[in-house]
Amino acid sequence: MTTSHYIAGHWVEGQGSDCISVNDPALGQPFAELMAASVSQVDQAVAAARSALPAWKSTCASERAAFLRGFAEQLGQRREALVTLQMRNNGKPRHEAEIDLDDAIATFGYYAELAEQLPSKNCTVPLAAPGFTARTRLEPVGVVGLIVPWNFPLVTSAWKLAPALAAGCTVVLKPSEVTPLIEQAYGQIADALGLPAGVLNIVNGKAETGAALSNHNGLDKLSFTGSNSVGSQVMRSASAQCRPVTLELGGKSAIVVFDDCDVDQAVEWIVAGISWNAGQMCSATSRLLVQDGIADALLPRLQAALENLRVGNPLTEEVDMGPLTSQAQWLKVASYFATAREEGLQCLAGGHALDREGWFVSPTLYTDVPKDSRLWTEEIFGPVLCARRFASEEQAIAEANDSRFGLVATVCSADLERAERVADALDVGHVWINSVQAVFVETSWGGTKGSGIGRELGPWGLSAYQSVKHVTRCLG
Ligand code: NAD
């Protein structure tokens, strides 16, 4: 049993009623347990964040930057433990777990820099009218609740924590019940750095704990990453209190491959977009639109590439893809395999769970998938790729945009003018051209339409935790 809640600078045991099992998905077995936080512990965490706010928001920005640099350094010092824990609890291959850690480190470093630049953003506003002066102050939003999912636990938490702390907010973080141990590192680092008590609080739990946080009237803002169904509940509780909310939700993103591409290169980008993290990515490019002229050459090579992926236990084998992270996700993906069979979809690769212990599925490719198929329209969150052919650029744009989601897209073409034109025409928050999904802290993250509200990363990620105040003075 693990002590796993960090409230007001203390590690405490959960007093909630839910017992959380922490699983190794490659074995399908638990390796730790913890009790969820109770509703009153969520209250204590929010109260601790509230009482820490006045002092924290008054610290000079360079002091906050020093703490953020400390987070980056200390994450690096815990590298092996954090990489291994992500491999064990998420089922991530080692190289993916390493990249996640590096992303979190880069995020804290980046927001340390932005925090140092904050004083220069508080500036005089030139006015056309005589007789007045005005100045801007960027102030922290206040006490923020941060609710995150399990697919990139270190990363999604870093994308919220680092800018929130940089802005001068105090926080209550609720990690996913599927991966409740990984973000404990942030509490341990806060301890090691002597971060003032209450600035960072971590409560673990399932839906009840998440709802207690998102409904809490002691918050000034809530930032949520997760599914659309829970996101809409979170938005409802924010609307009941007229409180700002950032939502990073699901996706059903397109990868558009024009017939002037190098086939092998295109296959590499397509495979990366659907097999990274076993396809459990909000940004998975799970809808392949391939131009008629290249489809017959590309699809067999794509089939072979997916079938050749090494799938296995990242802790004991060298693998390209691990298991799905939870049994619930495994059952969900299996239910889509059943739907595909019922719909009579043409399966070129995979289409089944693996016959071994643990929550493994095979990398899967369906072709000529009808536009109204559930597999074409719904987020599956697994290594399941659906393909359709297109004739013209206009058709590709129309089909890519024909989705209730709008998170990301990838465009592959040797004609860079066309690739840029298509990128501009896609209704999404981020487009890659001729690339794997490289994410840089300086660029924004977030979606249009059903994929959410607001942006993380870059200066936009910091603005999400800031409130703009102007002070206008009459000179007369
Ligand atoms: P989820 O919505 O089930 O859970 C997310 C978090 O919300 C968890 O911490 C969970 O405990 C909590 N929660 C559950 N019920 C709640 C409630 N009623 N009130 C408040 N909190 C509650 O999502 P998941 O299965 O953990 O993650 C997968 C989803 O996350 C996918 O849809 C994926 O696309 C999305 N996601 C989006 C992004 C992005 O940046 N857009 C990034 C990662 C994941």
Side-chain angles (χ1 to χ4, degrees):
M1 196 61 85
T2 314
T3 304
S4 54
H5 313 276
Y6 186 62
I7 301 173
H10 300 289
W11 288 101
V12 292
E13 281 180 27
Q15 292 164 359
S17 50
D18 283 328
C19 180
I20 298 171
S21 283
V22 190
N23 295 304
D24 180 338
L27 304 176
Q29 285 171 10
F31 65 89
E33 278 188 335
L34 55 104
M35 292 306 294
S38 63
V39 170
S40 96
Q41 287 180 304
V42 174
D43 285 342
Q44 289 162 26
V46 174
R50 177 63 60 195
S51 54
L53 181 66
W56 181 247
K57 75 179 198 180
S58 310
T59 52
C60 63
S62 60
E63 201 179 322
R64 296 200 295 276
F67 277 112
L68 292 174
R69 287 196 205 292
F71 271 90
E73 270 165 34
Q74 295 254 344
L75 281 169
Q77 287 166 17
R78 289 163 168 75
R79 176 170 291 275
E80 192 48 36
L82 286 171
V83 166
T84 308
L85 184 53
Q86 291 177 89
M87 290 165 71
R88 188 168 189 201
N89 191 189
N90 279 90
K92 288 177 191 275
R94 173 170 283 277
H95 66 281
E96 293 190 19
E98 296 262 6
I99 285 176
D100 279 14
L101 179 64
D102 288 336
D103 184 319
I105 291 172
T107 303
F108 279 99
Y110 173 73
Y111 283 107
E113 268 176 44
L114 288 205
E116 275 158 356
Q117 294 161 16
L118 272 179
S120 66
K121 310 274 177 197
N122 291 341
C123 55
T124 304
V125 182
L127 301 176
F132 290 88
T133 61
R135 65 189 168 89
T136 310
R137 271 173 67 79
L138 295 176
E139 300 192 338
V141 165
V143 175
V144 291
L146 311 176
I147 299 181
V148 292
W150 44 263
N151 57 336
F152 293 97
L154 272 182
V155 174
T156 39
S157 296
W159 289 7
K160 295 183 193 301
L161 269 181
L165 297 180
C169 294
T170 56
V171 307
V172 179
L173 170 70
K174 197 206 84 65
S176 166
E177 63 273 30
V178 179
T179 51
L181 302 183
I182 295 169
E183 284 111 319
Q184 290 193 18
Y186 292 129
Q188 290 155 4
I189 291 171
D191 259 352
L193 296 175
L195 189 75
V199 170
L200 164 63
N201 304 274
I202 303 174
V203 289
N204 273 294
K206 301 183 184 176
E208 188 194 16
T209 312
L213 183 58
S214 66
N215 290 327
H216 206 287
N217 60 16
L219 299 181
D220 298 307
K221 170 161 187 171
L222 196 110
S223 180
F224 172 84
T225 299
S227 63
N228 284 60
S229 57
V230 177
S232 75
Q233 294 177 52
V234 166
M235 193 167 171
R236 223 171 288 133
S237 51
S239 90
Q241 307 194 34
C242 290
R243 186 164 68 197
V245 63
T246 292
L247 298 175
E248 296 287 353
L249 306 176
K252 187 75 184 178
S253 298
I255 178 164
V256 182
V257 180
F258 287 94
D259 57 15
D260 55 3
C261 282
D262 176 85
V263 173
D264 291 324
Q265 181 61 82
V267 165
E268 205 180 304
W269 294 324
I270 298 165
V271 170
I274 195 65
S275 66
W276 193 266
N277 209 29
Q280 301 164 118
M281 293 187 287
C282 51
S283 58
T285 35
S286 53
R287 291 187 297 141
L288 167 62
L289 288 162
V290 57
Q291 198 163 19
D292 287 331
I294 199 177
D296 288 340
L298 183 136
L299 291 171
R301 281 200 237 177
L302 179 57
Q303 171 188 12
L306 290 170
E307 285 173 350
N308 287 338
L309 285 176
R310 296 165 301 173
V311 181
N313 182 346
L315 282 176
T316 57
E317 304 159 55
E318 196 161 324
V319 298
D320 302 308
M321 196 180 97
L324 297 178
T325 301
S326 72
Q327 188 176 32
Q329 197 55 37
W330 184 65
L331 292 170
K332 182 179 169 195
V333 173
S335 80
Y336 278 100
F337 293 146
T339 304
R341 283 191 289 275
E342 282 159 24
E343 290 185 359
L345 296 189
Q346 192 187 336
C347 183
L348 266 197
H352 52 83
L354 293 191
D355 186 17
R356 57 177 285 173
E357 66 182 353
W359 301 321
F360 292 92
V361 296
S362 54
T364 296
L365 172 61
Y366 297 107
T367 54
D368 299 315
V369 177
K371 272 197 281 187
D372 60 353
S373 164
R374 285 185 50 208
L375 278 89
W376 186 257
T377 56
E378 296 178 9
E379 181 181 52
I380 299 174
F381 224 53
V384 181
L385 179 62
C386 293
R388 286 176 59 78
R389 296 168 190 240
F390 69 89
S392 66
E393 182 180 320
E394 293 68 32
Q395 188 190 353
I397 293 168
E399 290 214 8
N401 282 340
D402 185 15
S403 169
R404 70 189 179 97
F405 297 107
L407 192 56
V408 303
T410 300
V411 182
C412 310
S413 174
D415 177 348
L416 294 182
E417 248 179 59
R418 170 167 64 188
E420 295 284 352
R421 189 168 62 234
V422 173
D424 290 353
L426 293 172
D427 298 335
V428 297
H430 200 121
V431 182
W432 289 279
I433 293 176
N434 297 336
S435 174
V436 293
Q437 296 192 4
V439 177
F440 300 100
V441 286
E442 299 86 355
T443 61
S444 70
W445 187 263
T448 63
K449 301 192 277 186
S451 289
I453 298 173
R455 291 291 180 270
E456 296 194 305
L457 291 183
W460 309 274
L462 182 62
S463 303
Y465 296 99
Q466 289 174 321
S467 172
V468 180
K469 180 193 275 183
H470 278 104
V471 180
T472 302
R473 180 153 49 105
C474 177
L475 296 173

